[in-house]
Amino acid sequence: MADSAADKANEKVKGAYDASSIQVLEGLESVRKRPGMYIGSTDINGLHHLVYEAVDNSVDEALAGYCTRISIVVNSDGSATVSDNGRGIPFDMMPQFNKTALEVVMTKLHAGGKFDKKSYKVSGGLHGVGVSVVNGLSATMAVEVRRDGKVCRQRYEKGVPVTPVEFVGTATAGESGTTVTFAPDATIFETVDFNFDILSSRLRELAFLNTGLEISIRDERSGKEHSFRYDGGIKSFVGFINQNKKALHDAIYLSGQKNGTSVEAAMQYNESYLPNIFSFVNTINTTEGGTHLSGFRTALTRTINSYAEKHNLLDKDAKISSEDTLEGLSAVIAVKVPEPQFEGQTKRKLGNSEVKGVVDSIVGPSLSAFFEENPKVARAIVEKCANAATAREAARKAKDLVRRKTLFEGSSLPGKLADCSSTNPDECELFIVEGDSAGGSCKQARNREYQAVLPLKGKILNVEKARLHKVFSSKEIVALASAIGTGVGDDFDIKKARYRRTILMCDADVDGSHIRTLLLTFFFRYMKPLIEAGYICIAQPPLYKVTKGRKDYYVYNDAKLAELLQQVGEDGAALQRYKGLGEMNPEQLWSTTMNPGTRALVKVNVDDAVEADKIFTLLMGEEVEPRREFIEQHALEVKNLDV
Ligand code: 0RA
């Protein structure tokens, strides 16, 4: 294997050894040996990281309150210049090193922040390694400091000083700042070609994150330039993210501090459905999120829900989930944490567990206060989230439906089904029985070989009024459809029918009729071919029992009753009106209603599908007025109204 670029570079460094730079080399040698450890990689990302690292030092100076302007220039020779109007790196002697502070900062690892702990409490930079790392990875570097009326300069090659710190001019009174120019070492980096757009977008981000700080970039190779300064900080950031979208309200800005951690959040909903959330820790873009982001999301979800609840803005049982709060949300969460721990694949995820609670406790109350002061905005947000919740629920049901389709296709039979032993559909029939007790008698009465029984508990769902997803979350309907086995709707396949006949067996009272109509509505809407093929029948249990002496007569309609009563003469005959199937014992049920040799069945048919459709809609649908008219028109035809 060929020597790595780093090894080669290291050899050259060794060649440059001399007594005066030994100490320095010992520091920066490791940087050149393992650049990845300091700047992540030696690809284009690592290359740009050099600029960010240099800029971060200037940003730190801005955070300390001394710098208002940072400029970045990509020079025509491909090198980069970063300059700021901060205090300037001090160049007085440090006795313990026998060097100027400037040289120490530029050549010793981690030396940058040691001077001024207080103002550098929160250090920027992914690795926070300091400008010396940039120096170590640059073929050439020059630093120029304006400070105390003087201009000082020093130059380096691969991190090794090649000139002393020289005074090269005078600075105007009050003028100060630091300028570094560096040419990345081509023996270390895969590419040394800076990309203007990549640099620009990170610099814009930094400008958003540092309210009021002016950051400009100019590319001498192409003439392109940008200047960023956002006095609205991350609030402007959110506006920028939403610039081509329809915002639902002005951006909301929340902030606070707790236990040395500062929190800023800006958010604005737009009409789209996609979230666009950026989170930062000490200006580092945490692309993998982390505890600060989860704190924000927890607070957001809780606050929206409690506002909605307090003001009665949600349907009963409706709840907005964390996911629902993300639809169309553009947000920026920026925290400053004293000792951030970064995790994850790319070290872009904040790990500090305490930060979640801090963010939550700052965002929650301040958002809640904002909602109370801005009810219009709060309502718009709740409405947006509630819509998302409805859509999510519908989507879940649709997914569920797909899952249930397989269920319908016979993989699992309902527990309540007492199936028959024959597996030949042509000789099998299914009794759908109203109520568990009648179901029990029916199970005892049946011929187990070819008769199956499925008891249904009370009234099934009115499918005419329910959305698809509701229909298929109804236990009774799922049981019914699974037992029949054909599938429903577009997936219906009569060849999969498990029974040649499905017999509806309901009580002879108003509830029984209602249940029968509900069942027929379901078959008509979801299994119409089953009706068309004549598979659906209605059982005819007797309406009366007439007992004369030791003989029982079962009577199925009023005309027959009158006839019979005349025949046995009325005296001494006992008349029983059956209201429910449960009033018959299993033997009676068998002989009157279930025995194919003696029973009567009514086959359901749809001669006029259009009319049937109209009637089902009329009887079972949403509109009340036409139903009332229908009932009034047909009231006179009703004979066996049982109340
Ligand atoms: C150490 C101490 C002081 C400032 C700086 C470093 C400093 C470093 C960089 C890097 C780029 N720009 C910078 N500006 C300042 C504080 C010096 C003082 O107390 O005046």
Side-chain angles (χ1 to χ4, degrees):
M1 233 231 260
D3 288 351
S4 73
D7 286 342
K8 276 187 219 149
N10 199 36
E11 242 162 65
K12 290 187 192 169
V13 173
K14 279 181 194 147
Y17 254 72
D18 70 25
S20 70
S21 62
I22 274 178
Q23 201 183 345
V24 167
L25 279 169
E26 274 168 3
L28 293 183
E29 190 181 30
S30 65
V31 175
R32 292 182 62 88
K33 232 181 187 162
R34 294 190 193 80
M37 267 187 56
Y38 297 87
I39 53 159
S41 66
T42 55
D43 59 12
I44 185 131
N45 298 311
L47 178 77
H48 290 128
H49 199 95
L50 295 184
V51 177
Y52 306 150
E53 196 61 53
V55 170
D56 279 345
N57 287 283
S58 298
V59 169
D60 282 349
E61 189 66 2
L63 286 173
Y66 299 102
C67 163
T68 58
R69 249 190 349 258
I70 302 173
S71 110
I72 293 89
V73 179
V74 179
N75 301 298
S76 37
D77 64 0
S79 64
T81 297
V82 176
S83 52
D84 66 57
N85 65 348
R87 288 168 294 181
I89 304 171
F91 40 69
D92 35 273
M93 287 300 286
M94 295 183 78
Q96 71 268 43
F97 292 110
N98 196 29
K99 289 182 198 316
T100 61
L102 178 62
E103 183 170 331
V104 172
V105 167
M106 296 305 291
T107 57
K108 250 185 97 57
L109 264 178
H110 304 299
K114 282 192 181 149
F115 296 86
D116 196 349
K117 269 262 171 183
K118 260 177 271 155
S119 43
Y120 286 84
K121 203 164 66 176
V122 171
S123 171
L126 175 56
H127 303 271
V129 286
V131 73
S132 62
V133 166
V134 180
N135 194 8
L137 298 173
S138 293
T140 61
M141 185 154 184
V143 61
E144 198 176 281
V145 174
R146 293 170 308 281
R147 191 189 156 101
D148 306 331
K150 293 179 185 129
V151 181
C152 278
R153 186 195 290 157
Q154 186 170 36
R155 295 199 291 110
Y156 317 83
E157 287 175 13
K158 300 177 177 97
V160 182
V162 291
T163 69
V165 174
E166 301 167 299
F167 295 91
V168 292
T170 53
T172 30
E175 190 198 14
S176 65
T178 304
T179 299
V180 293
T181 297
F182 57 94
D185 194 333
T187 65
I188 287 181
F189 292 95
E190 290 165 25
T191 169
V192 289
D193 191 16
F194 288 118
N195 179 308
F196 178 80
D197 294 325
I198 294 176
L199 292 175
S200 279
S201 75
R202 170 61 185 162
L203 295 172
R204 177 189 291 110
E205 207 169 85
L206 276 177
F208 280 127
L209 292 166
N210 293 279
T211 309
L213 177 62
E214 183 185 313
I215 304 180
S216 61
I217 176 168
R218 193 170 77 246
D219 191 337
E220 297 284 7
R221 302 167 305 180
S222 65
K224 287 197 245 179
E225 58 185 330
H226 283 312
S227 183
F228 309 113
R229 179 185 158 163
Y230 303 101
D231 292 333
I234 62 166
K235 197 173 169 181
S236 313
F237 199 161
V238 162
F240 176 80
I241 297 167
N242 272 344
Q243 75 190 146
N244 292 319
K245 301 187 182 99
K246 265 195 160 174
L248 297 187
H249 55 87
D250 289 341
I252 302 169
Y253 175 80
L254 313 159
S255 67
Q257 256 182 309
K258 201 175 171 182
N259 305 336
T261 292
S262 80
V263 179
E264 280 188 289
M267 52 181 277
Q268 184 179 42
Y269 281 91
N270 61 60
E271 284 185 359
S272 84
Y273 301 101
L274 294 176
N276 216 339
I277 299 174
F278 292 85
S279 66
F280 298 88
V281 176
N282 303 349
T283 80
I284 296 153
N285 190 337
T286 38
T287 45
E288 295 181 73
T291 52
H292 54 328
L293 186 59
S294 33
F296 172 79
R297 290 188 54 178
T298 305
L300 180 67
T301 309
R302 188 187 60 248
T303 308
I304 290 177
N305 269 303
S306 56
Y307 183 86
E309 230 165 80
K310 183 175 168 193
H311 297 273
N312 265 318
L313 301 178
L314 288 183
D315 290 344
K316 242 202 339 186
D317 300 335
K319 191 141 175 73
I320 290 166
S321 75
S322 176
E323 209 185 319
D324 301 327
T325 65
L326 297 185
E327 255 188 29
L329 173 66
S330 293
V332 176
I333 297 94
V335 298
K336 299 238 166 84
V337 179
E339 278 172 53
Q341 281 142 32
F342 292 102
E343 303 173 342
Q345 279 283 305
T346 56
K347 296 274 174 227
R348 295 288 181 136
K349 182 177 183 181
L350 184 67
N352 304 51
S353 57
E354 73 282 2
V355 174
K356 182 175 195 269
V358 170
V359 175
D360 186 347
S361 70
I362 288 168
V363 170
S366 47
L367 183 60
S368 174
F370 176 90
F371 280 171
E372 293 301 339
E373 285 160 26
N374 300 270
K376 263 196 192 150
V377 176
R379 276 164 193 271
I381 291 175
V382 169
E383 192 186 338
K384 172 94 184 167
C385 297
N387 286 341
T390 310
R392 177 178 50 82
E393 186 64 2
R396 190 184 66 76
K397 291 277 165 65
K399 259 189 230 157
D400 219 30
L401 178 60
V402 175
R403 194 172 54 74
R404 277 173 198 277
K405 263 186 200 153
T406 357
L407 189 75
F408 283 161
E409 280 156 14
S411 55
S412 81
L413 289 170
K416 279 189 172 185
L417 175 74
D419 210 2
C420 50
S421 53
S422 165
T423 51
N424 174 10
D426 283 336
E427 62 179 24
C428 295
E429 48 191 40
L430 171 68
F431 282 87
I432 295 170
V433 186
E434 172 187 348
D436 283 335
S437 73
S441 310
C442 200
K443 282 179 191 177
Q444 282 182 273
R446 68 184 175 135
N447 180 320
R448 289 169 179 271
E449 205 194 318
Y450 61 90
Q451 290 182 322
V453 175
L454 179 70
L456 288 186
K457 207 171 176 184
K459 299 201 173 147
I460 66 157
L461 180 78
N462 179 1
V463 298
E464 199 68 27
K465 276 192 198 165
R467 290 239 183 90
L468 199 65
H469 59 77
K470 200 162 176 209
V471 171
F472 294 110
S473 30
S474 153
K475 251 202 273 172
E476 303 293 312
I477 283 177
V478 170
L480 184 61
S482 328
I484 291 172
T486 54
V488 293
D490 293 341
D491 298 303
F492 183 90
D493 182 358
I494 201 154
K495 289 200 284 292
K496 290 186 182 155
R498 302 181 61 249
Y499 312 96
R500 175 64 182 75
R501 262 188 215 102
T502 292
I503 301 162
L504 314 187
M505 197 154 84
C506 303
D507 289 343
D509 59 5
V510 171
D511 279 348
S513 313
H514 190 195
I515 291 168
R516 190 166 49 241
T517 315
L518 289 167
L519 284 165
L520 288 173
T521 308
F522 170 74
F523 288 123
F524 184 74
R525 292 296 180 208
Y526 289 89
M527 296 186 172
K528 201 157 154 195
L530 215 57
I531 300 181
E532 287 163 345
Y535 279 37
I536 305 286
C537 298
I538 296 171
Q540 300 290 297
L543 290 180
Y544 306 98
K545 183 173 80 170
V546 178
T547 312
K548 174 87 180 177
R550 297 181 138 242
K551 213 168 150 56
D552 289 337
Y553 303 87
Y554 296 98
V555 183
Y556 294 85
N557 58 52
D558 288 308
K560 278 267 159 26
L561 177 67
E563 213 176 285
L564 179 77
L565 288 179
Q566 254 169 17
Q567 273 174 32
V568 301
E570 270 113 340
D571 52 272
L575 177 68
Q576 186 187 354
R577 160 108 165 82
Y578 285 127
K579 287 188 181 175
L581 297 161
E583 293 170 30
M584 281 182 276
N585 63 36
E587 292 76 43
Q588 290 171 326
L589 204 54
W590 166 255
S591 60
T592 62
T593 315
M594 295 176 75
N595 179 357
T598 55
R599 72 185 181 196
L601 286 183
V602 171
K603 194 181 277 184
V604 177
N605 63 50
V606 217
D607 292 334
D608 185 346
V610 178
E611 183 63 15
D613 183 287
K614 217 174 85 189
I615 290 179
F616 276 120
T617 310
L618 190 98
L619 286 178
M620 312 308 283
E622 291 291 355
E623 295 293 321
V624 175
E625 197 48 38
R627 176 159 54 242
R628 196 213 311 278
E629 280 168 25
F630 179 90
I631 292 169
E632 280 171 6
Q633 268 179 37
H634 294 84
L636 293 175
E637 299 162 23
V638 177
K639 285 188 201 108
N640 270 319
L641 190 64
D642 174 297
V643 267

